[in-house]
Amino acid sequence: VAKQQHQLGAPARLFVRSMNYNPLGDMKLFHPPTDWRTPPVVDAYNAALQTIAIALGIPYIDSSTTIIEPMWDSAPDWCHYRNAAGLAHAEYVG
């Protein structure tokens, strides 16, 4: 992929991308939780992001539903997709 050179005053490509699920662990399952990124909250956050993006006329890319959700448990640490799911995610967003 060729790097694009950006010049001062040149238009920038702006979009909003959905947030991916994160692993369930002690911080999310502790009572009270110290990390809010559980799947239902991430879904609500993504819905709000999409609503705001549409209202502002900014493209919204839902890579979570189409790419990551079906492969959520494929990353060794459940976060960093350095496998086929990560490549598909990068190509979909890029």
Side-chain angles (χ1 to χ4, degrees), residues 45-66:
Y45 181 80
N46 284 337
L49 276 177
Q50 184 176 20
T51 299
I52 292 167
I54 290 169
L56 295 175
I58 299 170
Y60 177 77
I61 300 174
D62 182 3
S63 59
S64 292
T65 304
T66 55

Side-chain angles (χ1 to χ4, degrees), residues 1 3-4 9-11 15 20 22 26 30-31 36 40 45 47 60 62 64-65 67 71 75 77 82 89 93:
V1 177
K3 286 188 175 182
Q4 294 179 350
F15 60 88
N20 296 328
N22 285 271
D26 58 344
F30 191 73
H31 183 73
W36 57 269
Y45 181 80
Y60 177 77
D62 182 3
S64 292
T65 304
I67 305 293
M71 301 297 291
D77 65 355
R82 295 183 181 104
H89 186 259
V93 171

